[in-house]
Amino acid sequence: MGTHSIKLTINGKHYVEEVESRILLSDFIRENCGLTGTHVGCEHGVCGACTVIVNGTAVRSCLMFAVQTDGEEIQTVEGLSQDGELTPLQQNFKECHGLQCGFCTPGILMSAQDYLAKNPEPSTQELKEMLSGHLCRCTGYDGILKAIQKTVDENKQLALTEGS
Amino acid sequence: MENVVGKPVPRVEDARLLMGQGKYIDDIGTPPNTAHIAIVRSAYPHASIQSIQIEKALEVPGVKGIITGKDVVQYLNPFSVGVSAPVKYYPIAVDKVRYVGEPVAVVIAKNRYIAEDAAELVKVKYETLEAIVDIEKSMEDDAPLLHENVGSNIANHRSFHYGDAHSAFKNADRIIKHTFNFPKYSATPVETYGIIAQYESSSDQYTINANFHGPFVIQAVMAGALKIPSNRLRIIVPKDIGGSYGIKAGTFPYMVLCAIASRIAGCPVKWIEDRQEHLSASSSGTDRVTYIEAAVQEDGKVLGLKMKMIDNVGAYIRAPEPACLYRTHANTTGAYDIPNLMVDGYIVMTNKLPTGLIRGYGGQELYFPLERIMQMIAHELQLDPADVIRRNLIKTEKFPYHTASGGIYDSGDYEKGFELALATGKYTEFREKQEKARKEGKIFGVGLACIVEPSGSNMGYITIALTPEERAASLPKSGCAEAATISMDPMGNVNVRISTTPSGQGHETVAAQIVADVLQIPREQINVVAELDTATSAWSIASGSYSSRFASLGSSAVYYAAHKVKEKILKIAAHHLQTKEDDLVIESAIIRSKSDPSKKYSMKRAAGSAHWNPLSLPDGMQPGIYETYYYTATIAEPPDENDLINSSITYGFVADMVTVEIDPETAEVKILDYFTIHDAGKLLNPLIVDGQIYGGLVHGLGGALYEELAYDDKGQFLTGSFMDYLCPTAPEIPNITIKHIETPSPVTPLGAKGLGEGNTMSAPVAIANAVSDALTPYNIMIDSLPLSPTKIWQLLQSSKVKTT
């Protein structure tokens, strides 16, 4: 099996690696780069657990090959918080009990992070539809929705304060 | 310091999980020479294995070995089973396959990609046999036989008679009966099974890391299968498990398979299950046919029940089955005062995936026919279903209530809970709304369900599968022991070790809350370790995460262990302060004398003395602070000679009201509102409690409307991906209102009962009752699940009344 040399950035760190063309991005992130916060739940693009952000777009890393990310910039769950401080979104997941076993959580955080960056004022129904790309079997989605909604509300409040 | 038990405090587990620092089975390190496994599986439901060709696969570079059933069997005994039928269950097929997905060969290779390449080159020649998947047909004399040596597909049969059912049925005004089918469905945690197994020949020892969460009685089953003393099987459970809901209790055949693969290959092996494997070949809930008959008076009072239940455990009966049939044995009559009961229980084997624990285990299968028949009684007697429930609910003054089959319901106020459900859901108003909607051609319905939620299983209950004579031939089993260890290090900081193998239920948080209250130290200073290691943890045969046993049993072990530490600390302080222990009180980590407030001693110093200066301790006291407590509830007795069994420790109560609208054009069921009232005794952490309830309810919703492990009538498996096996996603979740009443349990020191499974038990039937109620004008009666649009559409089409 032939290999390719790829160069990419994950959470601001540079990686230069030799990979087989068939290596999934999810396996590459976990096994080659050791970033085990990205989880693999179904490997057919339904559960959403493996979601990462590639060049500013949330993607399922089980449906991409590592070689496709040559030259790209990737963010994983490990890249959200800085110096051990949770981001407001992460903090709200904690406060609203938006996670139980935590296995689906990194994927949901990445999707929510990407979605809120592009849609600062979503309706509850829109948030539910965004979440429909993720399976969580612990929470019944209630705490997750509350956490994301709280983040939206806080962001709005922040925008108002900054604007005034 | 303010007490924190009972407060909705955020979880200590969250920070690591939110930052991607969880340590799940696939995240822990492996030894450098670890090989990876891919499993070749049967594509047929029933076939004899003619030959397995592995030569081509062995030539793939990087392959370290391939093993088949014939290689494995020499190292193994069949797994022991809880019934007397001589079923031989190995973790891999030996002569024939009995379900789609059954392991046939194991490829061991340098990495998973290579293992899968080689697995494709393994060629298995089968001779197909006729398969059987229908529960009742499997019992017929000419049915295809799965296990020739058993001579029948029936693995177990027992009959029970409590009270005087014959008279009840003779004296009844009416007998109302029906047959119900409960489907096979699963739990599908987002993390699949994962195992790292290592055999060490020098000590003939197996070490297995796995996301297996007990019950740890299966450790003994596995050691027996591996033909080794049980202390030569070391199981290590990682601190994070990515959900289970019971399904990961079924990991054990694969643990044994990986153990043998490591032995034969001569290196550690790792296996992470893929999703198709999980759906087809991990474990599942049990499908059941129930024939139910109720002897009733004209006023709706139920005098007696007869239930014939037939559980389909799939291709092999394996531990802890036939527990699905018996876990709820004490609460067979549910929330109702019904003293006369006959139960006829069968276990059959068919060509489907073997079953095991799943959230609600046995409850949803029991309450589906029971709560459906309560609604049917109302329908036939032209009474309001709420009145039929009222007439039969156990009265508040009857607690502790002794059930017909031996249960002791510890506490409750069922009438209050049920009335609160009706008031919260505005039952009467909804009935008026429904009548108006019907006139407008809309299809509205309301469903009710009252259920008893058992928690903390009695280890003795499974022996009810044996006759009293068979039981007498072996030693009795009782209790529900759980252990916790609490230590204070030389600097006075606290470590807590629990053996309850959580998979998201927040045991670390709640254990810290309990210890904080007992020792009066901030919970942030307490480190809780949830990894279980059978070689170094304090654990019992009953340990693990199942039957919602943490709140009733695990928490009790933590509570009493903390008291042992407190006792020792106070003894040390009393000795140094020259006072008596009962004169001392702990306030914010300082021990003070009540009689002389100037006398004080810090907890840190007391702990320090035990480590740094043991010669200063009271005479005879051991150095160090390291206390283990094994807790069991005393009411968990073995079954008696009359088959009376208190199968659980605590019994909560759930009352549900759900309203639905059915679209006449698409036959889709839309849930308008779901109201659920819980009484789980004293709540330890309301934030976690509601999280558990939401999750359990949505799992029940999946069982009612979407989820089914479907097979065609020839035994072919149809739902091998998440495109076919449908789980509820966020847009499907209705408005849910949760309310609590707290009737403390007199059985547990904190007054808590288990919870989190109740709505998985109640939601399928509550929704079925609502749909049945909605379809009453069409003479449609719901007796099977899931209630997919296809099913409702077909029922509507075949209904004689036009849908106008």
Side-chain angles (χ1 to χ4, degrees), chain A residues 1 20 22-28 30-31 35-47 49 77-86 89-91 93-106 109 125 127-143 145-146, chain B residues 10-15 17-24 26-27 111-114 117 186-192 240-243 245 270 273-276 279 359 503-506 687-692 694-696 698-699 702 707 720-723 725-736:
Chain A
M1 188 81 45
E20 282 183 26
R22 64 173 175 172
I23 298 292
L24 299 178
L25 178 59
S26 50
D27 288 341
F28 174 77
R30 291 181 52 82
E31 285 159 27
L35 296 167
T36 55
T38 298
H39 298 149
V40 175
C42 74
E43 292 178 297
H44 58 278
V46 181
C47 81
V77 69
E78 288 93 342
L80 289 177
S81 56
Q82 301 297 325
D83 303 324
E85 286 288 312
L86 299 180
L89 180 68
Q90 288 172 314
Q91 186 61 35
F93 265 72
K94 182 173 177 172
E95 283 173 24
C96 302
H97 195 24
L99 67 155
Q100 289 180 23
C101 81
F103 197 81
C104 68
T105 313
L109 288 173
Q125 190 54 36
L127 285 182
K128 283 187 178 181
E129 275 158 26
M130 179 275 286
L131 270 181
S132 71
H134 292 270
L135 291 183
C136 168
R137 306 240 54 190
C138 290
T139 64
Y141 307 100
D142 181 74
L145 273 169
K146 282 179 181 151
Chain B
R11 304 193 319 161
V12 297
E13 294 89 343
D14 288 352
L17 303 177
L18 286 162
M19 292 166 71
Q21 293 174 12
K23 285 283 171 285
Y24 302 89
D26 199 15
D27 305 335
N111 66 43
R112 179 65 178 260
Y113 284 73
I114 294 171
D117 287 346
S186 195
T188 68
V190 183
E191 180 201 47
T192 56
D240 294 312
I241 295 180
Y245 330 100
K270 178 173 175 177
E273 184 190 44
D274 73 23
R275 184 54 58 184
Q276 186 180 3
L279 287 163
R359 195 172 205 162
S503 50
Q505 303 93 330
L687 189 69
I688 292 177
V689 162
D690 283 355
Q692 288 297 310
Y694 277 112
V698 169
H699 193 188
E707 297 182 47
S721 82
F722 274 149
M723 307 299 278
Y725 185 91
L726 302 180
C727 305
T729 65
E732 282 87 65
I733 311 307
N735 295 322
I736 296 170

Side-chain angles (χ1 to χ4, degrees), chain B residues 468-489:
Chain B
E469 296 73 35
E470 287 168 333
R471 286 199 299 269
S474 58
L475 294 170
K477 294 184 175 66
S478 71
C480 46
E482 188 50 88
T485 301
I486 303 180
S487 57
M488 282 181 100
D489 68 17

